[in-house]
Amino acid sequence: MTETHIQLWEQCLKVFQDILPAEQFAAWFRPITSVSFVDNKLTLLVPSPFFYEQLEERYFNLLGHTLHKVYGPSVKLYYHFNQVGNEPTTGVTIASSKPSTAVAPKPGASSNPFQRVELQEINAQLNPNYTFENYCNSISNRVARSIGEAVANDPRNKTFNPLFIFGAPGVGKTHLIQAIGIRIKEVTPQSRVLYITARLFESQFTTAVRNGKINDFINFYQSIDALIIDDIQDLIGKQSTQGTFFHIFNHLTLNQKQLILASDCPPAKMEGMEKRLISRFNMGVVVELERPDYELRKFVLHQKAEQDGVALPGEVLDYIAANVTDSIRELEGMVVSLLAHASALSQDITLDLARKVLSNAVKINRKQINFEIIAQEVASYYKIEPDQIFTKSRRREISDARQMVMYMAKKHTKMSSTAIGTRLARTHATVLYACNNIEERLSLEKQLQADVSKIENSLLN
């Protein structure tokens, strides 16, 4: 069934209503009615010649893009109005003064529907250190990073629009979304990219309302090619700001512009956010940035230490990675705090110093570790039966596992060398030799360092 010209115009009105603030829609589009649509000639009834002139001056791009989408690329626009009040006999029909009304905007053209002006360069507000190259990769963030890179490497592909990234505070959301913005600028330098926090967006909106500059505020944000908003959950409860953001959001997506949003929680848990906004957040892809896993925590610590010129002993790195588990931000803060304490005390960074610093900052992992647990974990790592550790076998893999049990028991329990030796039917001198042997080898053998690290990770987590 072919739609009537009235039904087609109603489609347009729905688009305008979604995009524009209520007062603007009521003033400039609600009074318009469709007269006819014949042979690709669309005639609209408007209140006056002044009205149609203002309509084309203010809403040129929005009107043209919507007509092109609803009526097709060949549509020609005409306005009909009465020269004298309600006297139809004085009616006049004239063609749109904008010959390109029905042509979709060219790439790089202004996306501002209110006025056709040359857009000035803007400061993208991106931290140059937050690049993909500096972003640590692991299983816990692999999905989010992959999607982020797909968005950044091909800004024209809007498969993931909007991109909504959520995760606990400190897991790297800000770094990731800014890395996307930086890469977009590298791929398409002419793009207008902007990173902003929701709190600053709210502040700007409040100021614009107070100063009567709300149209300028909307115009600016509708000109952005890739809008990146951090902590979007801060708009919860801000009904007026949400309403305006809804219109900006619709305009940008309608014009194939990218939105990238970050939040501490998924859209489904945003109580106090308008349902229509939540619906739009779910239009693209929602992806979680998980808490950093052990390997990522170690990598972050190593990278931060290198950046700050700090030498972190392996046992210190392992201890921090095992106990600071929630946040990348906390991990980086621990390195800074360790450096500050070491400098103030004029001493090297040691495990004892790390324990002291961490005890004041985070809840230390207090998992009970005993001899039996150590023997089980070591046997599991070396893929032997636990009972074999207690035999007199001198096979290399069993001998190595036995020495590792001695070392771990000495390091992680309060057992004396004699007590450890008794459990293994060895002398305390044998235990001391094993511990010293491993200590000396640790500084030389990377494989042994990896073995100790993985076994301790199993013990502590």
Side-chain angles (χ1 to χ4, degrees), residues 238-257:
K238 310 291 186 181
Q239 298 304 315
S240 296
T241 310
Q242 287 181 36
T244 298
F245 178 62
F246 174 80
H247 297 302
I248 292 171
F249 185 107
N250 275 350
H251 177 85
L252 293 178
T253 53
L254 177 68
N255 286 277
Q256 296 295 295
K257 308 302 182 183

Side-chain angles (χ1 to χ4, degrees), residues 30 84 114 117 132 160 174 227 284 335 343 353 357 401 426 428 439:
R30 180 55 72 189
V84 179
F114 301 96
V117 296
F132 280 114
F160 307 117
T174 298
L227 179 59
V335 176
S343 298
L353 180 62
V357 172
R426 300 295 192 277
H428 80 283
E439 288 282 4

Side-chain angles (χ1 to χ4, degrees), residues 223-235:
S223 76
I224 303 301
D225 296 312
L227 179 59
I228 306 168
I229 300 187
D230 208 349
D231 295 320
I232 194 69
Q233 76 278 352
D234 286 344
L235 293 188

Side-chain angles (χ1 to χ4, degrees), residues 2 63 78 87 149 204 223 240 255 258 328 422 457:
T2 304
L63 187 62
Y78 291 80
E87 294 292 332
E149 286 192 288
Q204 291 177 351
S223 76
S240 296
N255 286 277
Q258 183 71 48
I328 290 175
T422 300
N457 183 41

Side-chain angles (χ1 to χ4, degrees), residues 15-311:
V15 173
F16 302 144
Q17 189 171 23
D18 274 348
I19 290 176
L20 296 171
E23 62 276 10
Q24 292 185 19
F25 173 76
W28 294 105
F29 286 92
R30 180 55 72 189
I32 305 173
T33 57
S34 175
V35 175
S36 64
F37 179 53
V38 180
D39 296 331
N40 288 321
K41 175 182 175 181
L42 171 65
T43 303
L44 299 176
L45 177 63
V46 297
S48 67
F50 171 78
F51 191 96
Y52 97 78
E53 289 171 1
Q54 291 297 308
L55 190 69
E56 293 209 334
E57 181 64 27
R58 293 169 178 258
Y59 303 103
F60 168 77
N61 284 344
L62 175 61
L63 187 62
H65 185 88
T66 305
L67 296 185
H68 181 273
K69 185 175 181 180
V70 174
Y71 293 91
S74 301
V75 63
K76 296 180 177 62
L77 177 59
Y78 291 80
Y79 298 99
H80 184 87
F81 56 88
N82 299 327
Q83 290 182 305
V84 179
N86 294 321
E87 294 292 332
T89 56
T90 64
V92 174
T93 301
I94 63 172
S96 167
S97 61
K98 308 285 188 181
S100 59
T101 297
V103 179
K106 296 179 181 178
S110 168
S111 59
N112 181 346
F114 301 96
Q115 46 188 320
R116 302 182 71 196
V117 296
E118 288 296 323
L119 297 174
Q120 297 180 346
E121 283 289 324
I122 62 170
N123 183 346
Q125 304 294 328
L126 295 168
N127 185 331
N129 294 320
Y130 286 165
T131 64
F132 280 114
E133 289 72 22
N134 291 334
Y135 191 75
C136 304
N137 193 24
S138 81
I139 295 175
S140 62
N141 62 24
R142 189 167 297 161
V143 174
R145 178 186 177 130
S146 296
I147 294 174
E149 286 192 288
V151 169
N153 290 333
D154 187 6
R156 294 170 299 178
N157 186 345
K158 294 300 184 289
T159 302
F160 307 117
N161 193 29
L163 171 57
F164 191 105
I165 297 172
F166 74 93
V171 296
K173 298 187 299 295
T174 298
H175 188 149
L176 179 57
I177 61 178
Q178 290 209 32
I180 297 171
I182 290 173
R183 180 68 60 80
I184 290 175
K185 287 294 289 183
E186 291 172 352
V187 175
T188 55
Q190 76 279 8
S191 293
R192 288 169 64 80
V193 178
L194 178 65
Y195 166 86
I196 190 171
T197 63
R199 197 173 294 275
L200 181 55
F201 182 90
E202 156 71 13
S203 176
Q204 291 177 351
F205 171 75
T206 302
T207 301
V209 171
R210 184 171 58 247
N211 296 335
K213 299 288 187 180
I214 189 62
N215 279 349
D216 292 339
F217 174 83
I218 293 172
N219 291 347
F220 171 75
Y221 277 99
Q222 289 181 334
S223 76
I224 303 301
D225 296 312
L227 179 59
I228 306 168
I229 300 187
D230 208 349
D231 295 320
I232 194 69
Q233 76 278 352
D234 286 344
L235 293 188
I236 290 176
K238 310 291 186 181
Q239 298 304 315
S240 296
T241 310
Q242 287 181 36
T244 298
F245 178 62
F246 174 80
H247 297 302
I248 292 171
F249 185 107
N250 275 350
H251 177 85
L252 293 178
T253 53
L254 177 68
N255 286 277
Q256 296 295 295
K257 308 302 182 183
Q258 183 71 48
L259 282 114
I260 301 160
L261 310 172
S263 169
D264 288 351
C265 60
K269 293 186 178 180
M270 287 186 160
E271 295 183 12
M273 189 73 79
E274 288 189 15
K275 289 183 179 179
R276 58 180 182 170
L277 268 178
I278 292 176
S279 173
R280 279 157 177 76
F281 293 163
N282 287 312
M283 280 186 349
V285 62
V286 177
V287 60
E288 181 178 9
L289 202 54
E290 299 175 5
R291 296 182 186 277
D293 56 35
Y294 183 73
E295 290 305 318
L296 177 57
R297 298 198 297 270
K298 287 187 65 174
F299 189 91
V300 169
L301 286 168
H302 179 73
Q303 184 181 65
K304 178 62 176 174
E306 275 195 343
Q307 290 173 352
D308 293 349
V310 182

